[in-house]
Amino acid sequence: MKNAAYHISFIGAGNVAWHLAPALENVGHFVNEVYTPDGKSAKKLVGNLYNAKIKESLDFSDSPSQIFILAVPDDAIQSIAQEIKLPEQSLMVHTSGSKGLDVLEYSSAAATGVFYPLQTFSKSKKLDFENVPFLLESENKEALKILNSLAKSLSKNIQIVSTAQRKQMHLAAVFACNFTNHMMSISEKIMKNAQLDFSLLHPLISETIEKSLKHSPKSVQTGPAKRGDLETLDKHMEMLQSDENVQEIYRLISQNILDNQ
């Protein structure tokens, strides 16, 4: 590995840590410790690592690690950052897309930052980090160099962004990823209710995503709302009468497409 090898500890063992910790080891870094409140998920993650140990408390004052990664739910970041005890010259980062640097400001770390992989994580699906964008932030120049080196050991796509930019990107990602997936979930339910196989829509979904990534999504929009086909829109609304929530989603999105021709 061309980049420096770092000693790292993880606080949290959820989906992000599950993928990130082994990936860092595989490119030559050292994951020394994993902490979770109950220890159970830490034990599972440690089982996938080389020499990491379960940390039973937030007292890391004697830790051999240089970098401490908070891979925990957003609402827990600030309280853990204030409680954790760290060694001198430590760098602590969180992996959140929606939280700023300020949630780490009362920590005992010598420097703080953000190490945000812009990707959706599921424990059941293997992930290649090479093309995953890493969004970095720190007010400390030396810390930013370390985070840049760490990210470059995993990915070819590194961006230094402000808290405001990262929050906007996280919002955009919710629309592009979470909402899109929820729309497919609704689609799957409609197909199932009609005793049809959802896989019939796979080619259509693949073609739509491919076109959206190759061109401007707005320029390749199709469908009854795009065409101004009000008769079809009305029929679809009638078909959705049994589910008022989905009917309202359909109405709002269709109206938004009509308004943005």
Side-chain angles (χ1 to χ4, degrees):
M1 185 180 69
K2 295 180 181 180
N3 296 292
Y6 296 105
H7 287 263
I8 303 164
S9 290
F10 273 83
I11 296 86
N15 290 350
V16 174
W18 186 264
H19 289 279
L20 186 56
L24 288 168
E25 281 196 335
N26 289 339
V27 295
H29 302 293
F30 303 94
V31 177
N32 297 315
E33 303 153 321
V34 178
Y35 167 84
T36 58
D38 62 2
K40 293 180 180 179
S41 50
K43 183 177 181 180
K44 291 180 181 179
L45 178 55
V46 164
N48 288 335
L49 302 173
Y50 294 116
N51 296 307
K53 297 179 179 180
I54 298 172
K55 184 69 176 174
E56 296 182 351
S57 76
L58 285 172
D59 186 354
F60 286 85
S61 53
D62 295 326
S63 174
S65 295
Q66 307 152 282
I67 302 173
F68 296 82
I69 299 178
L70 299 182
V72 298
D74 287 1
D75 291 343
I77 295 173
Q78 189 167 29
S79 60
I80 291 176
Q82 292 175 1
E83 185 179 349
I84 192 171
K85 295 180 181 179
L86 299 173
E88 294 183 3
Q89 305 306 314
S90 58
L91 168 59
M92 184 168 64
V93 300
H94 70 65
T95 59
S96 170
S98 63
K99 295 293 183 179
L101 274 174
D102 59 325
V103 294
L104 304 178
E105 63 183 349
Y106 295 113
S107 74
S108 59
T112 59
V114 178
F115 191 73
Y116 172 51
L118 181 56
Q119 185 55 277
T120 178
F121 294 90
S122 300
K123 288 184 179 179
S124 59
K125 190 176 187 303
K126 189 175 180 180
L127 183 67
D128 182 2
F129 277 94
E130 187 176 5
N131 294 308
V132 172
F134 275 83
L135 310 183
L136 313 179
E137 183 181 4
S138 180
E139 294 176 350
N140 183 296
K141 290 184 179 180
E142 187 58 35
L144 201 55
K145 288 181 182 179
I146 292 171
L147 294 180
N148 192 55
S149 174
L150 189 67
K152 280 186 174 179
S153 68
L154 292 172
S155 173
K156 299 183 295 185
N157 194 346
I158 316 299
Q159 299 285 330
I160 297 173
V161 299
S162 67
T163 290
Q165 288 174 316
R166 182 164 33 82
K167 287 182 177 181
Q168 289 292 326
M169 198 172 305
H170 186 261
L171 173 60
V174 168
F175 275 91
C177 174
N178 306 133
F179 288 178
T180 298
N181 189 72
H182 184 64
M183 293 301 104
M184 286 192 282
S185 177
I186 292 173
S187 176
E188 183 180 40
K189 183 179 179 181
I190 291 171
M191 293 288 281
K192 184 177 180 180
N193 288 342
Q195 298 183 326
L196 294 168
D197 194 328
F198 180 61
S199 65
L200 288 169
L201 295 180
H202 288 186
L204 174 64
I205 294 169
S206 296
E207 178 68 11
T208 301
I209 297 298
E210 185 178 341
K211 285 196 300 184
S212 292
L213 296 178
K214 189 174 182 180
H215 307 283
S216 165
K218 185 177 180 179
S219 71
V220 296
Q221 182 69 51
T222 61
K226 174 65 176 179
R227 297 190 301 269
D229 186 351
L230 301 182
E231 183 178 348
T232 297
L233 293 176
D234 287 341
K235 286 181 179 178
H236 286 173
M237 288 289 287
E238 289 178 13
M239 293 168 67
L240 292 170
Q241 283 181 345
S242 62
D243 193 331
E244 291 183 358
N245 289 330
V246 173
Q247 186 186 53
E248 181 64 5
I249 290 172
Y250 185 94
R251 187 192 67 77
L252 287 171
I253 294 177
S254 295
Q255 188 62 55
N256 193 260
I257 294 171
L258 283 164
D259 292 343
N260 286 276
Q261 300 285 22

